[in-house]
Amino acid sequence: MPNQEEYSEQLYTEDALLLKVKQAIKDSGMPEVSIAPGYGRLLTMLVAVSRSTRILEIGALGGYSGICLCRGLSKAGRLTSLELKAEYAELAGRHLEEAGFGEAVEYKLGPALDSLKLLEAEGRTFDFFFIDADKENYPNYLEYAIKLAAPGALIAGDNIFLRGRTLNAEKNGPAVQAMRRFNEMIASDERLTSTLLPAYDGLALAVVK
């Protein structure tokens, strides 16, 4: 008997481009940690219904989430993607180009915290944030998202359960502790209205008041 996620994915079929992105990530030896298909569809929907035009993505990997985000954008929308590794950004850029979003995306290379400091100094603001990068900095990324948020901005954070480690009291490594702190911040920060979605590896969602 299929579980809830398996049942859901039986009703929807990943399109050829997204499957190609996943295969390219695998062939390149990159971590196979793209957002789950169901949450990818959710990102597209959230961008569309919120009419977001300025998206900040922290962690590009191979471009799977970038495509999902851009699919919800209007023609005037733009995605700014922060990526540590140039080879990851290059692969993501090729996939976004193939998807027809090459003109809508800009990549900023290097440690995300450095890029976030520059964006803050430039006075940039965004109305949608997707966090899916190094887990130990999730609390820092959340603080920056709130700083750079336009009123009513949406924040989404992937992998909040770390494949069960967040829930396991015997696991207390740096990434686990940081993720627990991130989840606690999302749940309790008075600047946010939020919820945690428990499917797949978990997704945190918040609206900046």
Side-chain angles (χ1 to χ4, degrees), residues 66-151:
I67 292 172
C68 294
L69 291 163
C70 285
R71 283 178 171 174
L73 279 173
S74 66
K75 290 184 178 180
R78 189 164 183 82
L79 169 68
T80 299
S81 185
L82 312 184
E83 176 53 56
L84 177 65
K85 298 184 177 182
E87 61 269 29
Y88 288 13
E90 182 180 351
L91 182 63
R94 291 204 304 269
H95 288 144
L96 268 290
E97 183 76 34
E98 186 174 351
F101 302 119
E103 297 299 317
V105 60
E106 62 171 335
Y107 291 95
K108 293 187 177 295
L109 298 178
L113 288 178
D114 292 346
S115 296
L116 288 164
K117 289 176 185 176
L118 289 173
L119 290 171
E120 182 183 18
E122 293 169 2
R124 297 277 297 275
T125 60
F126 301 88
D127 42 32
F128 199 104
F129 300 83
F130 179 54
I131 303 171
D132 192 11
D134 56 304
K135 308 312 176 189
E136 292 180 29
N137 271 312
Y138 261 47
N140 296 324
Y141 296 152
L142 178 59
E143 283 292 348
Y144 264 107
I146 296 171
K147 286 181 184 179
L148 300 177

